[in-house]
């Protein structure tokens, strides 16, 4: 419901009905819409944003970002669509509105997002450094600049496809962009 509407538009009556619980049972588990929203955010952060970058292959930058894309795509489908065969738009503008609502309502979520982005930046920089040492990549760009291009391309493409209501092929388009960028920095 929160992804279909904004946080403010979803009513407690709708939440109770969607849960399949009686009103009393619902209130036994959740005191308010805000508490439910917070628990959903905790679930989201625990599943999506606590990603273990150490699980990615370190043998090449190419295998690093391909595995990363595959794993994140699987996570997104399991979180938003529930079925990887359902190639539907699973990220919409309400997703971003909900994130901003979360930042306003629960400031610690902004901090968690900042920590995640820093962890992601360090993982990219580490892998790019390894790729440079192995002679896989060569570029006048710094490791941080290359990492930013990978990260910001993902962020920007996600936002752009969301505005176009066409996120179903996000992974394919992202890999296409990253593969072409990789070819420009490959030694």
């Amino acid at each position: 419901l929160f992804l279909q509407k904004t946080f403010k538009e979803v009513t407690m009556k709708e939440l109770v009905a969607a849960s399949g619980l009686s009103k009393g049972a619902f209130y036994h588990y959740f005191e308010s819409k805000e508490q439910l929203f917070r628990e959903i955010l905790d679930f989201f952060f625990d599943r999506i944003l606590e990603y273990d970058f150490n699980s990615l292959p370190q043998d090449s930058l190419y295998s690093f970002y391909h595995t990363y894309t595959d794993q994140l795509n699987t996570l997104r489908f399991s979180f938003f669509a529930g079925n990887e065969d359902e190639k539907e738009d699973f990220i919409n503008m309400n997703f971003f509105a909900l994130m901003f609502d979360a930042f306003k309502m629960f400031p610690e979520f902004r901090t968690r997002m900042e920590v995640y982005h820093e962890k992601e930046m360090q993982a990219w920089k580490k892998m790019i450094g390894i790729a440079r040492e192995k002679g896989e990549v060569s570029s006048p760009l710094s490791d941080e600049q290359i990492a930013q291009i990978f990260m910001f391309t993902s962020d920007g493409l996600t936002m752009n496809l969301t505005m176009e209501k066409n996120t179903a092929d996000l992974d394919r388009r992202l890999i296409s962009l990253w593969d072409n960028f990789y070819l420009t920095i490959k030694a």
Side-chain angles (χ1 to χ4, degrees):
L1 287 174
F2 289 133
L3 286 173
Q4 293 168 4
K5 301 177 174 189
T6 65
F7 172 78
K8 290 179 183 177
E9 291 174 329
V10 175
T11 66
M12 283 300 291
K13 183 177 180 179
E14 291 172 314
L15 291 170
V16 170
S19 73
L21 299 171
S22 69
K23 188 174 184 179
F26 185 87
Y27 279 104
H28 173 74
Y29 293 104
F30 307 104
E31 295 175 6
S32 64
K33 179 170 73 168
E34 288 79 10
Q35 182 192 7
L36 173 63
F37 185 47
R38 184 180 182 92
E39 291 194 28
I40 290 169
L41 291 169
D42 284 336
F43 178 79
F44 172 76
F45 277 99
D46 290 344
R47 297 259 329 265
I48 303 287
L49 296 183
E50 294 301 325
Y51 184 79
D52 180 13
F53 291 96
N54 293 320
S55 70
L56 296 171
Q58 303 288 307
D59 59 318
S60 74
L61 177 59
Y62 182 87
S63 63
F64 176 90
Y65 73 78
H66 272 263
T67 303
Y68 181 54
T69 304
D70 289 344
Q71 290 179 1
L72 284 186
N73 194 48
T74 299
L75 267 175
R76 282 193 295 258
F77 275 110
S78 68
F79 187 76
F80 293 107
N83 183 352
E84 205 166 331
D85 295 330
E86 296 175 18
K87 296 294 185 184
E88 62 185 46
D89 290 338
F90 52 88
I91 298 177
N92 59 39
M93 291 305 289
N94 286 345
F95 170 79
F96 294 102
L98 289 172
M99 293 303 293
F100 290 119
D101 283 342
F103 295 156
K104 285 189 280 184
M105 294 170 65
F106 313 109
E108 66 274 12
F109 286 112
R110 176 183 295 277
T111 303
R112 288 179 78 181
M113 184 68 85
E114 290 168 353
V115 168
Y116 170 80
H117 280 286
E118 182 56 31
K119 192 167 81 169
E120 182 181 13
M121 175 61 74
Q122 293 310 313
W124 279 105
K125 285 172 44 178
K126 176 184 173 190
M127 186 62 242
I128 293 160
I130 291 169
R132 257 191 225 276
E133 288 174 11
K134 290 183 173 185
E136 179 186 4
V137 297
S138 175
S139 173
L141 297 171
S142 70
D143 293 355
E144 184 166 351
Q145 289 171 320
I146 294 171
Q148 287 174 339
I149 290 171
F150 277 104
M151 289 175 60
F152 299 164
T153 302
S154 175
D155 295 344
L157 181 62
T158 301
M159 181 61 84
N160 185 274
L161 292 178
T162 300
M163 289 187 287
E164 293 176 5
K165 296 183 179 180
N166 184 26
T167 60
D169 67 341
L170 173 63
D171 58 327
R172 181 189 59 78
R173 292 182 66 180
L174 183 59
I175 283 295
S176 175
L177 288 170
W178 282 356
D179 280 347
N180 283 303
F181 175 60
Y182 175 76
L183 290 175
T184 68
I185 61 172
K186 188 173 187 274

